[in-house]
Amino acid sequence: MEVKSVSRILNPPVPHMVGDGFRVHTFFPGGYDINMSPFFLMDYGSKINFSARKDPRGVGIHPHRGFETVTIAYHGAIAHHDSAGNCGTIYPGDVQWMTAASGILHKEYHETQYSLTGGPFQMVQLWINLPAKDKLGKPKYQAVKQSEMVSVDLPDEGGKIEIIAGNYQGIKGNANTFSPINVYNARLNKGGKAHFSFPENFNTGFMVIEGAIKINGSEKADVNHFIYFENTGTEIEIEALENTVVLVLNGEPINEPIAHYGPFLMNTEAEIQQAISDYNQGKFGYLDE
């Protein structure tokens, strides 16, 4: 079995604000020209302290069509409402998995109690593309609480792998997906090692959320850096140089045309125009401010 080599270790791009509640580094598609399909976008909110505030910060009502948004909380608390009637709050370790599909309105903001006290805030938001056949399906919402998350303990008290989606060593995570993907939180104790075996053609990237790791016994990646792997080989080993959290992203590419405009991710320009028309006609539902 051949090692999957590191292609690049990427520095965090210059951060920008999404609304007034999310300071993010967009690693892709804007920050770096890398192919992580079916993951279309990754906004990484590195750790920041927000001051206490009565009115919660966040992002107001906005539409989506043609993909899924996946929000993973590491510090702080994030609330969600959408026009399909779904709502929820995620706390550190929890995940919100929203399938926009045919179209949805939603808003995301700091949870009320967190907003009143302030404190550290850290999160990741992914946009996961949907295959063409699923882009106009019914919207849905999956709440994946850390307390209910399937995990695999690593040898020698090295830590554990939390399986958000996909499977690790044959153990399946809770989230349902539309194409083959693996999303894990690898929570490693200092000196702990984790081994991954992925199909050669799947796109793979690791985001170092906390700590630092050595990859395949050689290259080092520090906190807030993204490791982008080659599409050759299958085997990856990481070793924690201190207590570490790594977000693992791996998936089979969706080899279909992409048309992207703002919050819409479709296959053709005509479908983008239809999405804009449907949104303007109120076909994405209604959501209170």
Side-chain angles (χ1 to χ4, degrees), residues 42-110:
M42 188 182 77
D43 276 345
Y44 169 58
S46 59
K47 196 182 297 183
I48 183 176
N49 279 292
F50 280 105
S51 59
R53 179 167 153 172
K54 184 177 180 182
D55 297 321
R57 300 172 174 89
V59 183
I61 297 169
H62 57 285
H64 289 304
R65 172 179 278 183
F67 63 100
E68 303 182 286
T69 68
V70 177
T71 305
I72 306 167
Y74 294 98
H75 292 277
I78 305 162
H80 162 100
H81 280 79
D82 68 40
S83 57
N86 301 303
C87 62
T89 299
I90 55 172
Y91 299 94
D94 297 342
V95 179
Q96 288 174 338
W97 196 299
M98 186 190 77
T99 305
S102 61
I104 206 165
L105 305 177
H106 80 148
K107 56 183 180 179
E108 302 154 287
Y109 46 94
H110 295 181

Side-chain angles (χ1 to χ4, degrees), residues 1 23 55 57 72 76 78 99 101 134 139 162 171 179 182 205 241 243-244 258 269 272 282:
M1 293 190 287
R23 188 200 68 167
D55 297 321
R57 300 172 174 89
I72 306 167
I78 305 162
T99 305
D134 298 311
E162 294 176 344
I171 308 297
S179 64
N182 298 295
L241 302 177
N243 291 345
T244 294
I258 284 181
E269 288 301 323
I272 292 290

Side-chain angles (χ1 to χ4, degrees), residues 195-247:
H195 178 263
F196 305 93
S197 184
F198 295 129
E200 194 168 39
N201 66 310
F202 279 32
N203 291 321
T204 305
F206 290 5
M207 182 73 226
V208 184
I209 305 293
E210 289 182 17
I213 57 173
K214 186 182 289 186
I215 309 132
N216 297 329
S218 57
E219 296 177 82
K220 181 188 174 188
D222 291 318
V223 66
N224 300 338
H225 285 67
F226 186 81
I227 305 109
Y228 179 55
F229 289 89
E230 301 277 4
N231 289 104
T232 57
T234 59
E235 310 305 303
I236 302 170
E237 184 183 77
I238 60 174
E239 178 184 355
L241 302 177
E242 53 190 281
N243 291 345
T244 294
V245 179
V246 178
L247 174 63

